[in-house]
Amino acid sequence: MDIHDIRRHNLQTILTVRFSGYRAGLAAAIDRQASYISRCLTQIEKNRKRIGEEFARHIESKLDLPAGSLDAPDGIKLPDGESATEQDHAISLEKGPEFSRPFKRTPILGTAQLGPEGYWEALELADGWVDVPSSDPGAYSLRVKGDSMAPAIRSGWVVWCEPNQRLVPGEYVMVRRVNGECMVKELLYANEEEVSLMAVNDGYGRLTIDRDEIEQIHYVGGIIPPSKINY
């Protein structure tokens, strides 16, 4: 690395440490235009303005740096005596929060054959998985067959459920009764004694089930088209 590259790297360090990367601030401090600073620091060699001897001493004078500071090959000496380079400054920054994957892979546990009034008559084995925006560790998916829940849930589409999500009146739930019947319906209300449901299909009405007849009731997080299934 020649003297011009050393000066360029040290000027970049000054820009980063003292001016927080704000080129207009550095430019004003040394009586230059921001575009001139950009030319000095550009990574494109053919467009780069070299920092000569006179300009290097000018920068040091304007920024109250000791003469020759810009020529230091191991990093510029800051006024407080600390040696800093761009890499040193970058390492001193606190690590920001890590972003988790926004979607969760949920396995398709089976294919539910939809019978009259939205009941599942049988559960066949199925494979594949879908990505869903869920943080529920127990989330799972079911692929449905039949048209008794149309148009809300079409044959071949996937329903994903969240067992640990709180139930929300007015939204869909998956209900399994102690006799093995399963269904997806709109939740009207739920209390300690009973659960009231509304059929997805307009051809069927309201259904109220005693709590002791329900084996499980899970929140339905969403409905996914078959094109989103992965194998």
Side-chain angles (χ1 to χ4, degrees):
M1 189 163 57
D2 65 18
I3 188 62
H4 300 99
D5 288 329
I6 292 172
R7 289 168 179 165
R8 178 169 58 87
H9 281 282
N10 284 335
L11 183 61
Q12 180 65 58
T13 298
I14 293 172
L15 174 66
T16 302
V17 175
R18 182 176 290 190
F19 296 92
S20 301
Y22 184 49
R23 294 191 179 188
L26 172 59
I30 62 175
D31 297 330
R32 291 293 189 276
Q33 296 293 322
S35 59
Y36 190 89
I37 302 300
S38 296
R39 288 180 60 197
C40 292
L41 298 176
T42 181
Q43 298 296 320
I44 304 175
E45 188 172 359
K46 66 178 182 178
N47 296 336
R48 186 181 303 152
K49 175 68 176 178
R50 287 190 170 188
I51 302 175
E53 179 74 18
E54 183 178 349
F55 186 41
R57 305 293 82 83
H58 171 81
I59 294 172
E60 293 162 353
S61 175
K62 287 292 184 179
L63 299 181
D64 295 323
L65 297 172
S69 296
L70 229 59
D71 298 348
D74 297 326
I76 191 167
K77 300 290 184 179
L78 300 179
D80 59 3
E82 180 184 356
S83 178
T85 65
E86 285 183 77
Q87 184 178 9
D88 294 332
H89 182 65
I91 293 174
S92 70
L93 296 177
E94 293 184 4
K95 185 178 180 181
E98 294 185 1
F99 292 94
S100 59
R101 190 166 180 257
F103 286 84
K104 174 183 177 63
R105 177 179 295 189
T106 59
I108 299 176
L109 299 185
T111 299
Q113 177 66 49
L114 302 182
E117 300 186 24
Y119 291 109
W120 300 347
E121 295 180 340
L123 193 64
E124 304 171 358
L125 294 177
D127 57 4
W129 51 270
V130 291
D131 278 331
V132 299
S134 174
S135 58
D136 190 330
Y140 64 91
S141 300
L142 296 168
R143 192 169 188 178
V144 297
K145 292 173 62 178
D147 298 320
S148 64
M149 293 188 185
I153 305 176
R154 301 178 183 179
S155 182
W157 286 45
V158 174
V159 172
W160 58 276
C161 303
E162 296 179 303
N164 300 301
Q165 174 68 279
R166 68 181 181 87
L167 304 179
V168 180
E171 299 192 19
Y172 293 152
V173 292
M174 190 283 290
V175 178
R176 181 188 296 274
R177 304 179 75 165
V178 293
N179 62 5
E181 290 179 340
C182 296
M183 67 194 84
V184 172
K185 293 187 181 291
E186 178 186 341
L187 176 66
L188 297 180
Y189 69 83
N191 55 39
E192 295 181 357
E193 297 180 356
E194 61 186 18
V195 173
S196 184
L197 308 166
M198 180 65 71
V200 174
N201 192 308
D202 291 337
Y204 306 98
R206 182 170 175 171
L207 175 66
T208 300
I209 308 174
D210 291 340
R211 271 287 189 177
D212 56 10
E213 294 182 18
I214 296 177
E215 180 178 328
Q216 60 183 207
I217 178 169
H218 293 165
Y219 176 81
V220 172
I223 304 166
I224 303 172
S227 62
K228 301 299 183 181
I229 299 176
N230 300 280
Y231 297 96

